């Protein structure tokens, strides 16, 4: 007799190809709408499922984990970041946590470069002129931006995505600098043409562009706080495609409004689904709705990672992308 199929609950709509494969492999409950689950719905899902497939919009805190049913043995996150999941409490309850690392590296690095160019070359302002039909023709002094070739790029977090950003930026002629929890091996630094800064303060004070590419952890919360933002050169810009909590958004907003920082490109925010309303008023800020991973290829590959993690677990083995507290 074949064993009973795993009961899997998915909290958001996923690409059709991923959902169809879920149906083939598991006893899956899919989300009929793309609205996030309420807390009550999450509690019910965790009480009944063998496997929960959440996304970054689902806050799986200690209170929720404490209400999980005895059958819940795996939280297979659809996404690389797991700061929305209490991994420590899950581990104490005997619940494994997995994620989907690596598949969004190129997509997020592409978006980082898009934001750098959008801010420095004032692309949204140009779009607004064309959409308002107010363009009076070419002018030698209209919408003057800045050339990025030769500028110093300071990358905060030199993991997969940070390194991918470095490779792209080098092609544009930017000088690559970085700060990381651990220094890269010498051969990697040489390959990237990257200069390591042990002191984040010293790096920030000397860069033309800061790119935030580190994860959100307790140690990186407001890593770019008001004091550190004030170290930036007035003509410098900052972009963030990582996690909004790494930057003190209120302090950044004040400094952008006062001209202490030249510009910013943000794809993520401290409050996941909204940006500081005052940021929307500023012409020197480019705001995107968390689009860094928004390619069909990337989202399907995320789903394939989730499927592999669940299937490997179902076969009695450790999921290949298991997250443990020591990794955080």
């Amino acid at each position: 007799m074949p064993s009973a199929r795993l009961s899997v609950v998915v909290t958001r709509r996923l690409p059709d190809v991923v959902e169809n494969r879920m149906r083939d492999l598991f006893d899956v409950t899919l989300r009929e709408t793309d609205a996030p689950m309420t807390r009550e719905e999450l509690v019910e899902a965790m009480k009944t499922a063998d496997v929960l497939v959440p996304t970054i919009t689902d806050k799986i805190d200690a209170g929720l984990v404490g209400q999980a049913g005895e059958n819940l043995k795996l939280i297979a996150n659809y996404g690389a970041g797991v700061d929305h999941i209490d991994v420590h409490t899950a581990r104490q309850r005997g619940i494994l946590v997995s994620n989907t690392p690596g598949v969004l590296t190129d997509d997020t690095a592409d978006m980082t470069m898009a934001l750098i160019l959008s801010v420095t070359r004032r692309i949204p302002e140009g779009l607004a002129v064309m959409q308002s039909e107010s363009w009076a023709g070419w002018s030698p002094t209209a919408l003057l931006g800045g050339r990025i070739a030769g500028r110093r790029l300071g990358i905060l977090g030199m993991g997969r995505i940070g390194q991918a950003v470095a490779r792209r930026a080098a092609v544009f002629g930017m000088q690559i600098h970085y700060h990381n929890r651990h220094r890269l091996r010498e051969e990697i630094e040489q390959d990237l043409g990257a200069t390591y800064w042990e002191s984040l303060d010293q790096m920030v004070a000397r860069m033309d562009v800061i790119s935030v590419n580190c994860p959100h952890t307790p140690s990186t919360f407001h890593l770019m706080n008001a004091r550190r933002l004030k170290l930036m050169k007035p003509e410098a810009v900052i972009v963030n495609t990582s996690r909004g909590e790494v930057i003190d958004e209120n302090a950044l907003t004040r400094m952008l409004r006062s001209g202490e920082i030249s510009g910013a490109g943000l794809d993520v925010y401290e409050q996941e689904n909204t940006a500081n309303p005052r940021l929307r008023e500023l012409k020197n800020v480019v705001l995107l709705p968390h689009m860094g991973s928004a390619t069909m290829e990337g989202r399907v590959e995320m789903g394939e990672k989730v499927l592999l993690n669940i299937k490997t677990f179902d076969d009695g083995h450790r999921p290949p992308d298991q997250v443990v507290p020591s990794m955080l």
Side-chain angles (χ1 to χ4, degrees):
M1 292 288 291
S3 59
R5 300 210 301 178
L6 279 182
S7 171
V8 178
V9 175
V10 182
T11 66
R12 297 292 295 268
R13 291 294 308 274
L14 303 182
D16 288 343
V17 63
V18 178
E19 291 189 343
N20 290 336
R21 189 63 177 144
M22 287 267 188
R23 291 188 183 95
D24 292 339
L25 293 173
F26 313 116
D27 180 12
V28 63
T29 301
L30 298 171
R31 189 74 170 153
E32 293 184 0
T33 72
D34 197 39
M37 280 188 171
T38 64
R39 189 172 180 87
E40 291 73 23
E41 289 175 317
L42 282 171
V43 168
E44 184 61 26
M46 296 180 71
K47 284 182 176 179
T48 59
D50 300 317
V51 179
L52 181 74
V53 180
T55 70
I56 190 174
T57 60
D58 303 305
K59 187 70 174 176
I60 313 297
D61 56 26
L64 276 180
V65 175
Q67 298 182 69
E70 294 183 0
N71 290 336
L72 185 64
K73 296 301 179 185
L74 174 63
I75 299 174
N77 188 53
Y78 183 82
V82 293
D83 49 294
H84 58 295
I85 301 172
D86 190 325
V87 177
H88 295 272
T89 303
R91 187 175 180 85
Q92 291 172 357
R93 289 288 306 271
I95 302 170
L96 303 182
V97 177
S98 65
N99 65 344
T100 62
V103 297
L104 304 178
T105 298
D106 288 333
D107 297 332
T108 307
D110 288 347
M111 189 60 76
T112 300
M113 290 305 303
L115 282 173
I116 292 173
L117 289 166
S118 292
V119 175
T120 58
R121 294 301 303 273
R122 303 174 64 178
I123 291 174
E125 293 178 69
L127 288 171
V129 168
M130 298 305 293
Q131 291 169 349
S132 66
E133 299 183 0
S134 60
W135 187 43
W138 182 85
S139 165
T141 58
L143 293 171
L144 296 180
R147 181 184 297 162
I148 66 171
R151 291 199 186 189
R152 288 184 166 193
L153 170 64
I155 299 173
L156 177 49
M158 201 61 143
R160 293 187 186 97
I161 295 173
Q163 292 180 39
V165 170
R167 295 184 191 282
R168 286 159 171 75
V171 174
F172 280 85
M174 302 189 79
Q175 301 176 34
I176 310 303
H177 301 256
Y178 78 98
H179 172 83
N180 201 48
R181 183 170 55 176
H182 302 294
R183 185 170 183 174
L184 299 177
R185 298 196 307 273
E186 183 178 356
E187 60 268 28
I188 298 177
E189 282 188 354
Q190 291 179 352
D191 181 52
L192 296 173
T195 300
Y196 172 68
W197 292 78
E198 184 176 358
S199 168
L200 178 57
D201 285 359
Q202 290 185 21
M203 184 186 82
V204 165
R206 291 163 173 81
M207 296 299 113
D208 302 302
V209 180
I210 298 292
S211 176
V212 178
N213 298 107
C214 62
H216 171 224
T217 67
S219 63
T220 63
F221 177 76
H222 281 191
L223 191 59
M224 292 300 295
N225 54 25
R227 181 192 66 80
R228 200 161 270 140
L229 288 168
K230 285 183 178 296
L231 296 176
M232 292 177 60
K233 298 188 296 185
E235 64 271 21
V237 303
I238 186 169
V239 299
N240 187 4
T241 56
S242 179
R243 287 291 182 267
E245 295 91 341
V246 178
I247 300 177
D248 183 337
E249 193 170 294
N250 286 329
L252 176 64
T253 302
R254 290 195 301 271
M255 296 180 67
L256 287 165
R257 289 171 64 91
S258 65
E260 295 175 80
I261 296 175
S262 178
L266 306 175
D267 189 41
V268 289
Y269 310 94
E270 281 203 63
Q271 300 299 320
E272 175 58 29
N273 62 346
T274 185
N276 188 317
R278 292 179 299 167
L279 285 173
R280 304 177 193 276
E281 305 167 1
L282 302 177
K283 292 183 178 180
N284 59 340
V285 178
V286 179
L287 305 178
L288 296 178
H290 204 154
M291 293 171 59
S293 64
T295 67
M296 180 58 71
E297 296 88 346
R299 295 289 165 83
V300 170
E301 288 175 8
M302 287 168 66
E304 290 172 348
K305 282 256 185 182
V306 169
L307 289 164
L308 179 60
N309 283 315
I310 300 174
K311 190 66 175 65
T312 304
F313 169 78
D314 194 25
D315 291 339
H317 304 291
R318 169 178 170 162
D321 299 308
Q322 182 178 341
V323 177
V324 295
S326 62
M327 298 168 57
L328 305 177

